[in-house]
Amino acid sequence: MKKIRVLLINLSKKSSFFRALLRKCVFIKNRLLYMLYYFKPVDEKRVLFESFMGRKYVDSPKAIYEYMIKNKEYKDYEFVWFFKNPDKYKFLEKNKNTKVYRYGSKEYYRLYATSKYWFTNSRVPDTILKKKEQIYVQCWHGTPLKRLGFDIEVKGGNAMNSIKDIRYKYEVDSKKYTYMVSPSKFCTEKFISAFNLKNVGKEDIIIEKGYPRNDFLINYKESDVKRIKKELGLPKDKKIILYAPTWRDNQHTSGVGYTYKTEVDFDYLRQKLGDEYIILFRAHYFVANSFDFAKYEGFVYNVSDYDDINELYIVGDILITDYSSVFFDYSILKRPMLFYMYDLDEYQHELRDFYFDIEELPGPIVKTEDELIKAIEKSKKFKYDKKYKAFNDKYTYLDDGKASKRVVEEIIKKD
C-alpha cells in the first residue's frame, strides 16, 4: 500500500510538471504570435469587448457596447467582440461597424495589439502586452462578498492555483489597467487591496460611477419580462425562484474543470413547493459539469447556459444564493432573497472568507432544507425594510440606470 501511495505521489508531481511545461509552451507560442502585430499602429477608434473570457455576451462590456452603438457621438467607431463560440453571436454583426471573432484566434491577437480601447470584465491573457497609448478598462463582474486576489488569507489557494499563483495573476493583469470601474466606495476600497493597485501605482485609476451592467435592472420594461418568460417556456401561473449558487474553489476534476455538486434535494423541494413555484437553476460560469434535471421537468429549469443573468433577475420573484455576488445586483429590484449556506463554516474558514459580517445580508441565512422551505414560505410576507434599504444605500446607491453613459464619457472624453 505504501509503495502504491508513493507511486501516485510521483505521478502527480510529474503530471504537474508536464502541465506547467505545456502552459509555458503555449504561452511562448501565443506571445510570439502577439509580437507579430505589437509594433503596428493603434487604431484610435477601434473598441474591443469580451465578457468572461469570451464565454458570453453579458455584463458591463455588453451595456457599454449597447450604449455606444446607440449614441451618434460614436458612429465612426469600430466595435469588435471576441467569443469562444463566435458563430453563436454573429447576430451582433447586424449592428453598424461591429465584427465578431474567435477568442484566442490570430485576429484576437492582431486586434488587441492594434486597438485603442479594451473593455473586459475578467483577465486578459498574460501573453497580451498593453502599449502606453492603449486604454484597458477593467469592468470586473460584481461587488465581492468573498475575498479576492491579494485579500485571500486562508491557506491553500484553490484546486488550480496556490495563493502565490492567484496573487501573481491578479498583479500581472492589474499592472496593465488604465481604468477600473467601481459601483461604490466599498468596491473601490476592496478593488484597490485585492488587485494590489496601490503597490503597482494604480490607486487613482478607479472610475466610481456605478455598474453599467445594472442599467438594465433600472430601465427594463414589462415587455422584457414577457419576452424572457416566453423564450424560456415558463408557466404563467407559478412563482419563480432563481437559484444561483457560486462555485467552490476545492471542487475540481482534472481534464474537466471546476465542478459543482448540487446540495439540494429537488424531490423534497418539489413535494413542498411544486404547486406554487418553479426553480430556475443557474450555475456559475466557471462550472464545467452538466446537470441532468430531466426527472424534474416542469419544476426545475436549467438556465446555466442562458447568457444574461440580468434577464433572469427580472423574471425571478425570489433569489436563493450562497456566496455569489448576484445578490448585490438583485437587491436593486428590492425583492426577497435567501442565503442557503449549507457549508458556511468550511467556505468561510477554509476557502475564501468574507469582506464583511454576513449578518449584514438583506435576507435570512439558512443551512438546512427545512429552514429553506420555511424561509420561502415566510418570503410571501416580504417587506422592503430598513435593513434592506441600508444595504442598498451602501452597495448600490450609484446604480441609477445611467452608469454606462457616465463611464464611457469619463474614458473617451478624458482621453
Side-chain angles (χ1 to χ4, degrees):
M1 183 65 73
K2 185 177 180 180
K3 289 183 178 180
I4 293 174
R5 192 183 305 119
V6 171
L7 178 61
L8 290 173
I9 291 172
N10 289 335
L11 287 172
S12 176
K13 288 180 179 178
K14 288 180 180 180
S15 177
S16 298
F17 170 77
F18 286 120
R19 223 173 17 243
L21 180 62
L22 179 60
R23 287 178 183 174
K24 189 67 175 178
C25 291
V26 172
F27 174 86
I28 292 171
K29 177 184 78 71
N30 290 337
R31 174 59 65 84
L32 290 173
L33 178 59
Y34 186 70
M35 295 309 294
L36 288 175
Y37 308 107
Y38 182 76
F39 297 101
K40 293 184 178 295
V42 170
D43 187 324
E44 295 291 320
K45 289 191 174 183
R46 186 190 296 130
V47 190
L48 307 187
F49 298 94
E50 64 174 76
S51 288
F52 298 114
M53 293 171 281
R55 289 177 173 87
K56 298 175 182 290
Y57 174 58
V58 292
D59 218 76
S60 290
K62 174 184 176 180
I64 290 168
Y65 163 72
E66 292 189 349
Y67 169 76
M68 292 185 75
I69 62 172
K70 293 173 184 175
N71 193 312
K72 292 181 180 179
E73 188 173 350
Y74 310 107
K75 61 182 174 61
D76 296 329
Y77 282 70
E78 178 186 349
F79 306 105
V80 176
W81 272 93
F82 297 115
F83 297 103
K84 290 182 181 292
N85 181 10
D87 291 342
K88 180 180 176 181
Y89 301 96
K90 283 293 183 181
F91 67 88
L92 291 174
E93 294 189 343
K94 295 178 182 178
N95 297 329
K96 186 178 180 182
N97 301 336
T98 300
K99 291 291 183 182
V100 172
Y101 296 99
R102 184 176 299 280
Y103 179 94
S105 64
K106 182 175 72 172
E107 290 299 298
Y108 179 81
Y109 290 106
R110 179 182 72 81
L111 291 166
Y112 258 105
T114 59
S115 299
K116 178 71 172 182
Y117 301 97
W118 311 346
F119 287 91
T120 182
N121 72 343
S122 192
R123 299 174 64 251
V124 299
D126 295 346
T127 47
I128 289 176
L129 303 174
K130 187 185 79 67
K131 291 180 264 192
K132 186 177 181 180
E133 66 269 32
Q134 292 179 305
I135 306 296
Y136 177 5
V137 185
Q138 176 54 257
C139 301
W140 203 236
H141 48 268
T143 298
L145 166 64
K146 55 195 179 188
R147 290 177 175 269
L148 303 172
F150 280 77
D151 293 339
I152 298 175
E153 297 174 349
V154 294
K155 297 178 181 179
N158 60 41
M160 289 291 288
N161 301 287
S162 66
I163 292 292
K164 183 179 178 181
D165 292 333
I166 291 169
R167 291 180 175 180
Y168 173 78
K169 290 181 177 183
Y170 270 67
E171 187 167 296
V172 166
D173 205 46
S174 66
K175 284 180 178 179
K176 302 173 188 176
Y177 300 165
T178 311
Y179 301 111
M180 188 169 192
V181 177
S182 168
S184 65
K185 181 181 178 182
F186 167 84
C187 247
T188 296
E189 292 173 352
K190 304 316 172 192
F191 287 163
I192 288 173
S193 60
F195 290 85
N196 205 29
L197 296 181
K198 186 174 183 179
N199 287 338
V200 299
K202 300 275 187 175
E203 190 175 9
D204 62 347
I205 68 169
I206 302 290
I207 299 177
E208 194 178 295
K209 301 287 185 181
Y211 258 151
R213 72 187 197 165
N214 289 338
D215 289 349
F216 176 76
L217 299 180
I218 303 294
N219 300 323
Y220 78 91
K221 298 177 175 59
E222 187 59 31
S223 59
D224 293 310
V225 176
K226 292 178 180 178
R227 168 181 58 82
I228 296 159
K229 286 184 176 181
K230 183 178 180 181
E231 183 177 340
L232 292 172
L234 305 181
K236 297 179 181 179
D237 60 341
K238 299 286 181 73
K239 291 182 179 179
I240 297 172
I241 297 171
L242 174 60
Y243 179 35
T246 193
W247 60 294
R248 279 17 180 207
D249 301 70
N250 61 349
Q251 293 182 15
H252 186 274
T253 301
S254 180
V256 176
Y258 286 103
T259 56
Y260 179 73
K261 184 175 182 294
T262 54
E263 299 289 346
V264 175
D265 183 347
F266 287 106
D267 288 302
Y268 182 60
L269 292 187
R270 180 167 58 181
Q271 176 190 337
K272 295 291 185 178
L273 304 172
D275 291 340
E276 294 184 70
Y277 295 90
I278 62 168
I279 295 175
L280 304 186
F281 176 79
R282 172 76 170 195
H284 188 278
Y285 77 95
F286 263 3
V287 174
N289 60 305
S290 58
F291 302 89
D292 184 6
F293 294 119
K295 66 179 291 190
Y296 306 111
E297 185 177 358
F299 177 61
V300 180
Y301 295 74
N302 186 5
V303 291
S304 299
D305 291 332
Y306 196 87
D307 259 30
D308 197 340
I309 195 170
N310 271 1
E311 297 197 339
L312 302 178
Y313 291 152
I314 67 169
V315 301
D317 296 296
I318 180 172
L319 172 71
I320 300 176
T321 187
D322 42 24
Y323 321 105
S324 171
S325 66
V326 295
F327 65 86
F328 288 99
D329 305 324
Y330 192 80
S331 73
I332 293 170
L333 300 173
K334 302 177 182 178
R335 299 176 188 175
M337 295 187 285
L338 309 178
F339 298 87
Y340 183 37
M341 298 181 172
Y342 54 84
D343 58 349
L344 175 58
D345 291 340
E346 178 187 19
Y347 196 94
Q348 183 169 11
H349 300 299
E350 297 180 28
L351 297 180
R352 284 294 188 98
D353 204 359
F354 310 125
Y355 278 120
F356 57 83
D357 189 337
I358 58 174
E359 291 303 317
E360 192 178 330
L361 296 174
I365 297 168
V366 298
K367 296 183 179 181
T368 69
E369 288 175 329
D370 284 333
E371 291 176 343
L372 182 61
I373 297 294
K374 290 177 183 177
I376 292 171
E377 289 296 321
K378 192 175 180 179
S379 71
K380 294 176 181 178
K381 299 179 181 179
F382 166 79
K383 290 184 179 180
Y384 183 68
D385 58 17
K386 290 182 179 179
K387 182 179 181 181
Y388 206 140
K389 184 179 184 302
F391 181 88
N392 285 122
D393 288 346
K394 181 176 180 179
Y395 298 107
T396 66
Y397 59 94
L398 288 173
D399 290 321
D400 60 357
K402 300 177 182 178
S404 297
K405 180 178 187 294
R406 290 193 294 269
V407 169
V408 172
E409 289 180 350
E410 181 80 6
I411 292 165
I412 305 292
K413 291 182 178 179
K414 179 185 285 188
D415 176 45

